[in-house]
Amino acid sequence: MYSFKTQDFLHKVALGLDKAQTIPELKVPLAAYGYDDKGLVAGVKLHEKVITLQADQGEARSLAKEATATFQQAREGMESLYRRHVAIARFVFEEDSVAWEKLQLDGKRQRTIAGIQWQAKMFYTHLLDDYVEAVALLGLSKKEIQESIKLLDNLVSLQSLQEQAKKRSQTLTQMKNEALENLVVWWRRFTKSAQLALESQPQYLETLNLG
């Protein structure tokens, strides 16, 4: 986006603004070009906004990564459990075409979250309603089926949280970039004004790191 490192730029702006506000010899020439205390405060506020949004963005990005990791872990656990339960059902109902059809035991398992939610929910619902005793013989209890349904529902909730976290991270990134762009525009104008205001006093341009 820019040819400079954001942190270096923000540090340079912070130093320049501080010197422009605190060094008496700079106040009069800069004020003549519109950069009196009020004019400089506008730059300070833009700088502070970028810093705040940068911190918020970092936190949001971290939360999004954490939400993604939690979701992926839950998904992998749920899929592993579901595959084991399907394997048990296929063994138990190998010669029962009605159960085979009801539980949708043919073919591959769905891979999308929507597909897993639909296919697994149908599987567990029919298992709970019609075939609890049959699968219990191989250690798949009613309680475990009920817990699996809860895990499945929780997976959808975790996906929702992950998407919300990612959206917030993306929104804050956009807001930070827009704020940074505004600061860049302000700083460029300030730099040009300072170069004109201090043309006959190049030592002060050096002071502002603009020489």
Side-chain angles (χ1 to χ4, degrees):
M1 186 176 181
Y2 302 109
S3 60
F4 54 78
K5 292 182 179 179
T6 300
Q7 291 304 113
D8 291 344
F9 172 70
L10 292 174
H11 181 65
K12 180 178 181 178
V13 172
L15 286 176
L17 285 169
D18 181 71
K19 290 175 180 178
Q21 289 177 301
T22 57
I23 297 176
E25 291 82 1
L26 297 176
K27 287 184 173 293
V28 173
L30 289 177
Y33 280 80
Y35 293 97
D36 54 9
D37 288 342
K38 184 178 180 180
L40 291 171
V41 164
V44 171
K45 287 182 177 180
L46 287 173
H47 183 268
E48 289 176 345
K49 185 175 183 179
V50 175
I51 295 295
T52 298
L53 286 171
Q54 191 175 51
D56 290 344
Q57 177 204 19
E59 181 181 3
R61 184 181 297 168
S62 177
L63 290 173
K65 287 182 179 179
E66 183 179 339
T68 297
T70 300
F71 167 69
Q72 290 297 343
Q73 184 179 11
R75 177 176 181 171
E76 291 169 7
M78 182 68 241
E79 288 183 345
S80 176
L81 192 66
Y82 175 44
R83 285 194 298 269
R84 185 172 71 82
H85 292 166
V86 168
I88 291 173
R90 282 173 173 168
F91 178 82
V92 173
F93 303 113
E94 186 176 5
E95 298 180 2
D96 187 336
S97 60
V98 175
W100 198 272
E101 182 67 25
K102 263 191 174 184
L103 298 172
Q104 299 181 15
L105 298 177
D106 268 333
K108 295 181 179 180
R109 300 300 91 187
Q110 295 283 339
R111 293 297 302 160
T112 66
I113 293 301
I116 293 170
Q117 169 71 0
W118 174 79
Q119 190 178 49
K121 197 67 175 282
M122 292 291 290
F123 171 79
Y124 286 119
T125 298
H126 286 303
L127 206 59
L128 194 61
D129 291 344
D130 304 316
Y131 303 110
V132 171
E133 293 182 1
V135 294
L137 296 174
L138 288 182
L140 180 49
S141 66
K142 179 179 180 179
K143 182 178 180 181
E144 186 171 352
I145 296 171
Q146 291 172 329
E147 288 298 322
S148 297
I149 293 174
K150 289 180 182 179
L151 289 174
L152 191 61
D153 291 338
N154 186 55
L155 186 62
V156 176
S157 298
L158 289 174
Q159 184 188 27
S160 177
L161 289 174
Q162 179 209 28
E163 290 176 352
Q164 291 176 46
K166 287 174 68 175
K167 179 64 176 177
R168 174 169 167 74
S169 179
Q170 291 167 357
T171 298
L172 285 168
T173 297
Q174 182 179 351
M175 291 173 64
K176 189 265 291 184
N177 288 340
E178 290 174 355
L180 181 59
E181 176 64 30
N182 291 335
L183 180 60
V184 168
V185 170
W186 186 93
W187 182 253
R188 284 174 179 166
R189 186 169 180 81
F190 170 77
T191 297
K192 290 178 181 179
S193 298
Q195 287 171 340
L196 290 172
L198 302 169
E199 187 175 11
S200 62
Q201 299 172 293
Q203 71 274 21
Y204 291 126
L205 287 175
E206 291 290 342
T207 300
L208 290 171
N209 296 319
L210 300 178

